[in-house]
Amino acid sequence: TRASSEPKERKNDLDVVMLAPQLLSSIFKRQRFSQATNEQIKISVDHLKSQNIYGKQGEPVEMADFDPPELLGSNIEEHFYNIGGLAAQPYLQMAE
């Protein structure tokens, strides 16, 4: 990780640790995120409550800030789809 003057962790309004800005922009290059709606916040709170973690303080974590490898696709979904395809290719060839 690189030394930074940023805080150890970055949290959202629900106190959930978020990705470092550099990682966020690398992974979600073309996406822009708008402010959460009240309905989205309610869904999030309900989910955190169902997991019995809403309002609980987690252990502090150091901000993971590094240069990730280039995505194998135009977004994170394509990246993992393409990685799966590469891993499966030898077996697909044997099955043909």
Side-chain angles (χ1 to χ4, degrees), residues 2 7 19 22 30 38 40 46 48 58 70 75 80 90:
R2 61 171 79 98
L19 288 174
Q22 169 112 5
R30 294 174 184 88
N38 288 338
Q40 290 169 324
D46 289 346
L48 293 171
E70 286 295 314
N75 57 49
F80 284 106

PDB file of all heavy atoms in Angstrom, residues 2 7 19 22 30 38 40 46 48 58 70 75 80 90:
ATOM      1  N   ARG A   2       0.364   2.322  -0.489  1.00  0.00           N
ATOM      2  CA  ARG A   2       1.164   3.541  -0.515  1.00  0.00           C
ATOM      3  C   ARG A   2       0.806   4.413   0.673  1.00  0.00           C
ATOM      4  O   ARG A   2      -0.318   4.408   1.124  1.00  0.00           O
ATOM      5  CB  ARG A   2       1.003   4.267  -1.839  1.00  0.00           C
ATOM      6  CG  ARG A   2      -0.377   4.719  -2.167  1.00  0.00           C
ATOM      7  CD  ARG A   2      -0.375   5.614  -3.404  1.00  0.00           C
ATOM      8  NE  ARG A   2      -0.291   4.848  -4.619  1.00  0.00           N
ATOM      9  CZ  ARG A   2      -1.324   4.524  -5.360  1.00  0.00           C
ATOM     10  NH1 ARG A   2      -2.515   4.894  -5.027  1.00  0.00           N
ATOM     11  NH2 ARG A   2      -1.177   3.836  -6.459  1.00  0.00           N
ATOM     12  N   PRO A   7      -7.399   9.474   5.626  1.00  0.00           N
ATOM     13  CA  PRO A   7      -7.675   8.710   6.843  1.00  0.00           C
ATOM     14  C   PRO A   7      -7.488   7.220   6.601  1.00  0.00           C
ATOM     15  O   PRO A   7      -7.460   6.760   5.470  1.00  0.00           O
ATOM     16  CB  PRO A   7      -9.135   9.044   7.143  1.00  0.00           C
ATOM     17  CG  PRO A   7      -9.695   9.573   5.881  1.00  0.00           C
ATOM     18  CD  PRO A   7      -8.556  10.153   5.094  1.00  0.00           C
ATOM     19  N   LEU A  19     -14.309   1.493  -0.492  1.00  0.00           N
ATOM     20  CA  LEU A  19     -13.053   1.350  -1.220  1.00  0.00           C
ATOM     21  C   LEU A  19     -12.286   2.663  -1.226  1.00  0.00           C
ATOM     22  O   LEU A  19     -12.879   3.744  -1.204  1.00  0.00           O
ATOM     23  CB  LEU A  19     -13.317   0.969  -2.678  1.00  0.00           C
ATOM     24  CG  LEU A  19     -13.811  -0.433  -2.965  1.00  0.00           C
ATOM     25  CD1 LEU A  19     -14.143  -0.568  -4.446  1.00  0.00           C
ATOM     26  CD2 LEU A  19     -12.777  -1.460  -2.571  1.00  0.00           C
ATOM     27  N   GLN A  22      -8.780   5.610  -5.258  1.00  0.00           N
ATOM     28  CA  GLN A  22      -8.027   5.106  -6.415  1.00  0.00           C
ATOM     29  C   GLN A  22      -8.593   3.760  -6.889  1.00  0.00           C
ATOM     30  O   GLN A  22      -8.748   3.532  -8.077  1.00  0.00           O
ATOM     31  CB  GLN A  22      -6.543   4.943  -6.049  1.00  0.00           C
ATOM     32  CG  GLN A  22      -5.739   4.203  -7.071  1.00  0.00           C
ATOM     33  CD  GLN A  22      -4.737   5.075  -7.759  1.00  0.00           C
ATOM     34  OE1 GLN A  22      -4.575   6.227  -7.396  1.00  0.00           O
ATOM     35  NE2 GLN A  22      -4.074   4.536  -8.743  1.00  0.00           N
ATOM     36  N   ARG A  30     -16.207   3.802 -15.590  1.00  0.00           N
ATOM     37  CA  ARG A  30     -17.204   4.581 -16.318  1.00  0.00           C
ATOM     38  C   ARG A  30     -18.465   4.853 -15.512  1.00  0.00           C
ATOM     39  O   ARG A  30     -19.399   5.445 -16.003  1.00  0.00           O
ATOM     40  CB  ARG A  30     -17.556   3.869 -17.615  1.00  0.00           C
ATOM     41  CG  ARG A  30     -16.376   3.834 -18.561  1.00  0.00           C
ATOM     42  CD  ARG A  30     -16.671   3.008 -19.799  1.00  0.00           C
ATOM     43  NE  ARG A  30     -15.504   2.922 -20.647  1.00  0.00           N
ATOM     44  CZ  ARG A  30     -14.571   1.999 -20.542  1.00  0.00           C
ATOM     45  NH1 ARG A  30     -14.648   1.075 -19.621  1.00  0.00           N
ATOM     46  NH2 ARG A  30     -13.537   1.987 -21.343  1.00  0.00           N
ATOM     47  N   ASN A  38     -33.702   7.635  -0.202  1.00  0.00           N
ATOM     48  CA  ASN A  38     -34.196   7.176   1.099  1.00  0.00           C
ATOM     49  C   ASN A  38     -34.571   5.696   1.052  1.00  0.00           C
ATOM     50  O   ASN A  38     -34.333   4.963   2.013  1.00  0.00           O
ATOM     51  CB  ASN A  38     -35.396   8.010   1.543  1.00  0.00           C
ATOM     52  CG  ASN A  38     -34.985   9.408   1.954  1.00  0.00           C
ATOM     53  OD1 ASN A  38     -33.837   9.645   2.295  1.00  0.00           O
ATOM     54  ND2 ASN A  38     -35.920  10.337   1.910  1.00  0.00           N
ATOM     55  N   GLN A  40     -33.214   3.352  -0.901  1.00  0.00           N
ATOM     56  CA  GLN A  40     -31.968   2.572  -0.921  1.00  0.00           C
ATOM     57  C   GLN A  40     -31.341   2.519   0.473  1.00  0.00           C
ATOM     58  O   GLN A  40     -30.826   1.477   0.876  1.00  0.00           O
ATOM     59  CB  GLN A  40     -30.981   3.180  -1.923  1.00  0.00           C
ATOM     60  CG  GLN A  40     -31.407   2.992  -3.362  1.00  0.00           C
ATOM     61  CD  GLN A  40     -30.573   3.819  -4.319  1.00  0.00           C
ATOM     62  OE1 GLN A  40     -30.163   4.942  -4.015  1.00  0.00           O
ATOM     63  NE2 GLN A  40     -30.329   3.265  -5.498  1.00  0.00           N
ATOM     64  N   ASP A  46     -32.034  -2.208   6.568  1.00  0.00           N
ATOM     65  CA  ASP A  46     -32.732  -3.473   6.813  1.00  0.00           C
ATOM     66  C   ASP A  46     -31.795  -4.662   6.629  1.00  0.00           C
ATOM     67  O   ASP A  46     -31.815  -5.619   7.416  1.00  0.00           O
ATOM     68  CB  ASP A  46     -33.950  -3.615   5.897  1.00  0.00           C
ATOM     69  CG  ASP A  46     -35.081  -2.669   6.261  1.00  0.00           C
ATOM     70  OD1 ASP A  46     -35.060  -2.086   7.364  1.00  0.00           O
ATOM     71  OD2 ASP A  46     -35.990  -2.501   5.418  1.00  0.00           O
ATOM     72  N   LEU A  48     -28.424  -4.657   6.862  1.00  0.00           N
ATOM     73  CA  LEU A  48     -27.445  -4.663   7.955  1.00  0.00           C
ATOM     74  C   LEU A  48     -28.074  -5.170   9.251  1.00  0.00           C
ATOM     75  O   LEU A  48     -27.446  -5.922  10.003  1.00  0.00           O
ATOM     76  CB  LEU A  48     -26.854  -3.266   8.150  1.00  0.00           C
ATOM     77  CG  LEU A  48     -25.987  -2.743   7.003  1.00  0.00           C
ATOM     78  CD1 LEU A  48     -25.641  -1.279   7.219  1.00  0.00           C
ATOM     79  CD2 LEU A  48     -24.744  -3.574   6.830  1.00  0.00           C
ATOM     80  N   GLY A  58     -17.038  -1.905  13.663  1.00  0.00           N
ATOM     81  CA  GLY A  58     -16.119  -2.933  13.195  1.00  0.00           C
ATOM     82  C   GLY A  58     -14.694  -2.593  13.591  1.00  0.00           C
ATOM     83  O   GLY A  58     -14.413  -1.501  14.091  1.00  0.00           O
ATOM     84  N   GLU A  70      -5.052  -3.953 -14.848  1.00  0.00           N
ATOM     85  CA  GLU A  70      -6.107  -3.524 -15.759  1.00  0.00           C
ATOM     86  C   GLU A  70      -7.237  -4.552 -15.772  1.00  0.00           C
ATOM     87  O   GLU A  70      -6.987  -5.758 -15.661  1.00  0.00           O
ATOM     88  CB  GLU A  70      -5.563  -3.369 -17.180  1.00  0.00           C
ATOM     89  CG  GLU A  70      -4.704  -2.136 -17.365  1.00  0.00           C
ATOM     90  CD  GLU A  70      -5.485  -0.843 -17.188  1.00  0.00           C
ATOM     91  OE1 GLU A  70      -6.595  -0.727 -17.755  1.00  0.00           O
ATOM     92  OE2 GLU A  70      -4.982   0.044 -16.488  1.00  0.00           O
ATOM     93  N   ASN A  75     -15.918  -3.471 -17.581  1.00  0.00           N
ATOM     94  CA  ASN A  75     -16.427  -3.243 -16.224  1.00  0.00           C
ATOM     95  C   ASN A  75     -16.091  -4.462 -15.363  1.00  0.00           C
ATOM     96  O   ASN A  75     -15.565  -5.459 -15.853  1.00  0.00           O
ATOM     97  CB  ASN A  75     -17.939  -2.958 -16.230  1.00  0.00           C
ATOM     98  CG  ASN A  75     -18.738  -4.070 -16.866  1.00  0.00           C
ATOM     99  OD1 ASN A  75     -18.570  -5.244 -16.554  1.00  0.00           O
ATOM    100  ND2 ASN A  75     -19.635  -3.702 -17.785  1.00  0.00           N
ATOM    101  N   PHE A  80     -14.653 -10.397 -14.378  1.00  0.00           N
ATOM    102  CA  PHE A  80     -14.736 -11.725 -13.763  1.00  0.00           C
ATOM    103  C   PHE A  80     -15.295 -12.768 -14.727  1.00  0.00           C
ATOM    104  O   PHE A  80     -14.904 -13.937 -14.687  1.00  0.00           O
ATOM    105  CB  PHE A  80     -15.523 -11.667 -12.457  1.00  0.00           C
ATOM    106  CG  PHE A  80     -14.703 -11.070 -11.341  1.00  0.00           C
ATOM    107  CD1 PHE A  80     -14.951  -9.796 -10.877  1.00  0.00           C
ATOM    108  CD2 PHE A  80     -13.647 -11.779 -10.793  1.00  0.00           C
ATOM    109  CE1 PHE A  80     -14.170  -9.240  -9.862  1.00  0.00           C
ATOM    110  CE2 PHE A  80     -12.859 -11.235  -9.784  1.00  0.00           C
ATOM    111  CZ  PHE A  80     -13.127  -9.963  -9.326  1.00  0.00           C
ATOM    112  N   PRO A  90      -9.165 -24.449 -21.115  1.00  0.00           N
ATOM    113  CA  PRO A  90      -8.526 -25.760 -21.345  1.00  0.00           C
ATOM    114  C   PRO A  90      -9.519 -26.923 -21.229  1.00  0.00           C
ATOM    115  O   PRO A  90      -9.454 -27.890 -21.998  1.00  0.00           O
ATOM    116  CB  PRO A  90      -7.473 -25.848 -20.242  1.00  0.00           C
ATOM    117  CG  PRO A  90      -7.223 -24.450 -19.795  1.00  0.00           C
ATOM    118  CD  PRO A  90      -8.508 -23.715 -20.032  1.00  0.00           C
TER     119      PRO A  90
END
